[in-house]
Amino acid sequence: MSLPQLNTSEVSQEPEVVILQPQDTDESPEPTDKPILENTSTAEPNTYEASQEPQALILQPQDTDESPELTDKPVVENTPTTQPNTSEVSLESQVLILQPQATDESPEPTDKPVVEKIPATQAAAADSSTTRTRIVLPLMTPPFGQQNQSTLASSAKTARLHGNHFGQPAPSEVSVRAAGGHAGHFRMPKKNSSRNLWITLLLCVVLLATLYFGCAIYFKYHFAFNTYINGVNCTFMKPEQVNERLRIQVLSYQIEVYGRGDIKDKIDGTSVGLVYVSDNQTKALLQGQNIYYWPLYLFQRPEPEYLRPRVELDELRFSDYINGLACMDPKLMAPPLDAYIVFEQPNHIIYPEVLGSTIDRFAAHRTIREAMLSTESTVDLDAADCYMLPRLFSDSPELLELIEVYKIYAPFSIEYTLGSTSVLLEASTIMNWVTPGVTTPGELDYNAVIAWVDALADRVDTLGRERTIINGYGVEKTVTGGTYGWRMDRRAEVEAILSACREQRHEVREPYFINRAASLDGPEWGGTYAEVDLTDQHMWYFENGVLIMDCDVVTGLPDGFNDTPEGVYYIWSKLSPTILIGSPDPVTGEPIYRSPVQYWMAITFGGVGFHDATWQWAFGGSHYLYYGSHGCVNMRYYDAQRLYSYIQMGCPVIMHF
């Protein structure tokens, strides 16, 4: 096929570049609307021949007024390359560039070749005043020595065709080098290396993105790097695995219980039936984990998480075990004491409170239980206020205010002498009788004073109370009632205290008594007394602890009307002689008896006393059961005479069974 000659006069001053884009197929492009390369040479190409006579691609444009229009398919002919006539070539010739079909990064090929204007200086360096035509064709490289023009156009990736081998410009010719041709006529495009670099970078980005999002999905169900829960490294663990670790921790759980006085106990969780109960805490921690920050956890350790595992215990076993702790032992407990004020010349001093060690069992059980359910390692019962506290502390406002009032009553004191002992009433005591803001200086709480006097009287009074005695036979007996003993005048004592307090007096004295006895030390009857044993029907008389006399007697008939009364009495009357007159007869109104006696010693105000009874023919034993008196203690005449001579007014008489 022959190519029409280009009219150089019709070529534009600025050459156009036409880019032909064939389809990119595996072997050769399908001949469609794209340009076709034909090899007019039938002989096998030789490398040396190709370098001497390069193939020329002549683009045949249409005859137009302005520029030739390319036909639908350019034709390639193998023509000998000769020196072109420079006179027939315009200053700037057209260059036709054939480009392979675009990839993903290149634009879609069009049906027509693209014309670019390229300066002639880039086409050839031989003649700077002219340009030559360059056409880039895709070439597939067949095996060496088997290529022709048709395979040349379909196998090469990119071929740059330029002037002849000798460097002279050829506006209408294209030098094409086959796979086995001279190296000076073919160059691999630089665009492929850049494209490969971009493909490599794209693959790296895809791999990194896959790794990143894959790990993010993984850490949606697993804990990330450096995750510590309750001191356990939980990296890559699922919540179920963490729960199992927590269950094992609970099995080995122990808590130390501290009490006052360096008391320390240790409780094993298994001793009280402590077990782990799985819940959603670990799942909540996992859900709170930011899965997209997982790379940061490789270098930055997150804050350790601490869970309070949900546990349960056996309430019955727990209660029994806690009650057996050393801190719960009542023998080791001391009661709390309030702070108080004392007067020590010349200052008023607040003695601090004593906390003691009496534990509040309910509070201790509650505190230890809560600590174990929270899996605490230690619990301090003192810090948790599990001990009974004093009512007043050294910094209590009540005490600080009382010190000011105390100054008013400080000079006051009463020392009560009680035999060989004494009781001191001073300002530090009566301070408790002052109500700040209610009582005025010099006035005390009247009821508080009465209460203190009652307490003192209960300590001193013996009248009418049950007492013990060792009888003349050396046997201990119990006696109740009577008219002899100590009895304090409580009303008079209250007034005396209030008076001494107002006048700020110091006194040393006995309390005021209504009834007095022989002694405030030991038995109130002292060492001189008469004793009657109503069971043995015998009497004794002691003087200063020495037995003076004893004898058998006859007491009252035990019929419920004439019984001799039990109790401690005293001799309140002595007569010699006298007539004993009985109670009036309900029928006649006359006394039931009139009995003259020589010695009368009255014991009770109801008419019971010692006297001689000459009408009794026997004494002692069980005689009183049948011939008992009307209540008096009958004696032989000479026994009554002797007793009358010894016994004195006020002498105690103790009658007991």
Side-chain angles (χ1 to χ4, degrees):
M1 181 182 294
S2 62
L3 296 176
Q5 295 293 326
L6 295 177
N7 189 353
T8 58
S9 63
E10 295 178 355
V11 176
S12 170
Q13 295 295 323
E14 294 181 3
E16 295 180 350
V17 176
V18 179
I19 300 174
L20 302 183
Q21 296 176 338
Q23 291 183 352
D24 195 2
T25 61
D26 293 340
E27 296 179 355
S28 63
E30 188 74 16
T32 57
D33 295 337
K34 307 295 181 179
I36 299 175
L37 297 178
E38 294 184 2
N39 192 349
T40 57
S41 174
T42 58
E44 291 186 359
N46 187 294
T47 307
Y48 300 100
E49 294 176 357
S51 63
Q52 293 175 0
E53 293 182 4
Q55 296 175 351
L57 176 63
I58 301 175
L59 181 62
Q60 219 173 18
Q62 294 180 358
D63 261 344
T64 59
D65 297 335
E66 297 178 357
S67 62
E69 184 176 351
L70 297 177
T71 61
D72 291 342
K73 296 181 181 179
V75 179
V76 178
E77 288 185 359
N78 280 334
T79 59
T81 304
T82 58
Q83 290 287 341
N85 189 355
T86 58
S87 62
E88 296 178 356
V89 180
S90 66
L91 295 178
E92 291 183 2
S93 63
Q94 293 181 351
V95 177
L96 177 63
I97 300 175
L98 303 183
Q99 294 181 341
Q101 185 175 355
T103 63
D104 294 339
E105 298 177 358
S106 63
E108 284 292 322
T110 59
D111 292 339
K112 297 181 179 181
V114 180
V115 178
E116 290 184 22
K117 295 180 180 180
I118 300 177
T121 55
Q122 297 181 6
D127 191 355
S128 60
S129 63
T130 63
T131 61
R132 56 185 177 178
T133 303
R134 292 191 303 177
I135 302 175
V136 179
L137 297 178
L139 301 177
M140 296 299 291
T141 308
F144 180 77
Q146 298 180 8
Q147 39 185 324
N148 52 33
Q149 280 293 351
S150 61
T151 59
L152 181 64
S154 62
S155 62
K157 282 291 183 177
T158 306
R160 180 170 300 174
L161 305 181
H162 50 84
N164 59 21
H165 181 67
F166 301 100
Q168 296 180 359
S172 60
E173 297 177 357
V174 178
S175 297
V176 179
R177 173 188 177 274
H182 195 276
H185 295 280
F186 180 77
R187 298 179 185 177
M188 292 299 293
K190 296 182 180 180
K191 187 174 181 180
N192 278 353
S193 61
S194 174
R195 177 184 176 185
N196 292 337
L197 177 61
W198 281 107
I199 292 175
T200 303
L201 291 177
L202 180 60
L203 290 176
C204 291
V205 171
V206 171
L207 289 175
L208 290 176
T210 303
L211 175 64
Y212 174 78
F213 288 104
C215 290
I217 295 174
Y218 178 82
F219 289 124
K220 183 178 180 181
Y221 306 99
H222 300 76
F223 286 100
F225 302 102
N226 295 318
T227 300
Y228 283 80
I229 300 176
N230 289 15
V232 177
N233 189 348
C234 299
T235 303
F236 305 144
M237 287 188 183
K238 293 183 178 180
E240 295 78 10
Q241 296 172 306
V242 177
N243 286 337
E244 180 62 20
R245 289 290 186 92
L246 294 178
R247 187 188 68 81
I248 295 174
Q249 281 187 340
V250 170
L251 289 178
S252 60
Y253 170 75
Q254 289 182 335
I255 185 172
E256 293 182 346
V257 181
Y258 295 94
R260 287 180 185 171
D262 297 330
I263 295 178
K264 179 181 177 181
D265 291 287
K266 182 177 289 187
I267 304 174
D268 293 330
T270 54
S271 301
V272 296
L274 193 72
V275 294
Y276 174 71
V277 179
S278 178
D279 55 10
N280 294 323
Q281 290 190 76
T282 53
K283 290 184 179 180
L285 279 181
L286 182 64
Q287 291 174 358
Q289 179 177 270
N290 194 328
I291 60 176
Y292 299 106
Y293 287 175
W294 66 263
L296 299 179
Y297 297 150
L298 286 168
F299 311 102
Q300 181 180 1
R301 180 173 177 176
E303 290 294 330
E305 299 289 349
Y306 181 76
L307 293 180
R308 295 189 182 277
R310 182 186 172 193
V311 295
E312 293 179 353
L313 49 80
D314 189 323
E315 295 292 344
L316 184 59
R317 291 174 60 185
F318 172 80
S319 180
D320 292 341
Y321 192 89
I322 297 302
N323 288 332
L325 297 178
C327 59
M328 296 292 181
D329 188 355
K331 297 178 181 179
L332 302 178
M333 296 182 186
L337 300 177
D338 291 342
Y340 61 97
I341 301 174
V342 296
F343 178 69
E344 295 182 359
Q345 289 287 352
N347 299 318
H348 310 86
I349 299 176
I350 297 179
Y351 273 71
E353 68 282 352
V354 177
L355 296 177
S357 58
T358 302
I359 201 164
D360 185 342
R361 291 182 177 272
F362 178 78
H365 277 242
R366 183 188 66 248
T367 300
I368 297 175
R369 183 179 183 277
E370 291 176 354
M372 295 193 71
L373 292 179
S374 300
T375 62
E376 299 285 350
S377 59
T378 61
V379 60
D380 191 336
L381 298 181
D382 193 6
D385 296 332
C386 295
Y387 286 88
M388 305 297 290
L389 298 177
R391 185 180 61 87
L392 291 175
F393 292 83
S394 57
D395 58 350
S396 297
E398 299 95 321
L399 290 182
L400 299 178
E401 186 176 354
L402 282 174
I403 286 182
E404 298 301 320
V405 182
Y406 183 87
K407 297 176 182 178
I408 301 173
Y409 301 100
F412 162 80
S413 67
I414 298 177
E415 182 180 354
Y416 294 97
T417 57
L418 303 173
S420 61
T421 62
S422 63
V423 175
L424 180 63
L425 175 62
E426 58 181 349
S428 61
T429 302
I430 68 171
M431 292 304 299
N432 297 323
W433 309 343
V434 178
T435 305
V438 177
T439 57
T440 59
E443 295 183 3
L444 303 177
D445 186 348
Y446 189 76
N447 292 328
V449 179
I450 292 176
W452 188 89
V453 172
D454 287 342
L456 180 62
D458 291 341
R459 173 181 175 181
V460 175
D461 289 353
T462 59
L463 182 64
R465 296 182 178 179
E466 183 180 283
R467 287 152 282 183
T468 59
I469 183 175
I470 305 298
N471 70 358
Y473 294 136
V475 179
E476 182 178 300
K477 298 286 185 173
T478 300
V479 58
T480 304
T483 58
Y484 185 85
W486 294 103
R487 182 183 178 190
M488 199 170 75
D489 190 344
R490 305 187 183 201
R491 183 182 296 275
E493 194 58 50
V494 169
E495 294 299 330
I497 291 174
L498 293 175
S499 175
C501 183
R502 285 191 294 267
E503 297 176 8
Q504 298 183 349
R505 294 197 310 265
H506 295 280
E507 296 179 348
V508 179
R509 59 177 177 83
E510 283 186 348
Y512 293 103
F513 289 103
I514 297 175
N515 291 84
R516 300 182 64 85
S519 175
L520 286 168
D521 296 324
E524 65 268 26
W525 47 78
T528 300
Y529 60 93
E531 178 189 356
V532 178
D533 192 324
L534 301 177
T535 302
D536 293 336
Q537 294 291 294
H538 199 82
M539 69 84 58
W540 296 266
Y541 174 71
F542 295 90
E543 191 171 301
N544 297 324
V546 178
L547 179 62
I548 301 300
M549 65 165 289
D550 67 296
C551 62
D552 290 335
V553 296
V554 175
T555 59
L557 183 68
D559 57 2
F561 298 99
N562 298 303
D563 301 82
T564 300
E566 179 186 13
V568 181
Y569 301 91
Y570 63 95
I571 302 298
W572 66 274
S573 175
K574 288 177 66 177
L575 293 174
S576 181
T578 187
I579 299 175
L580 302 180
I581 301 174
S583 57
D585 189 321
V587 178
T588 63
E590 294 293 328
I592 58 176
Y593 65 86
R594 289 179 181 269
S595 302
V597 296
Q598 186 63 37
Y599 304 103
W600 169 250
M601 294 157 281
I603 298 175
T604 70
F605 298 107
V608 176
F610 292 107
H611 65 83
D612 54 292
T614 55
W615 58 88
Q616 291 284 4
W617 53 273
F619 294 88
S622 59
H623 185 74
Y624 79 105
L625 296 176
Y626 310 102
Y627 302 99
S629 67
H630 294 90
C632 290
V633 180
N634 294 167
M635 302 178 70
R636 295 182 177 92
Y637 182 83
Y638 61 87
D639 288 332
Q641 183 183 23
R642 290 178 61 194
L643 181 61
Y644 189 85
S645 65
Y646 294 141
I647 202 165
Q648 302 296 321
M649 294 285 292
C651 181
V653 179
I654 306 166
M655 296 186 293
H656 60 82
F657 287 96

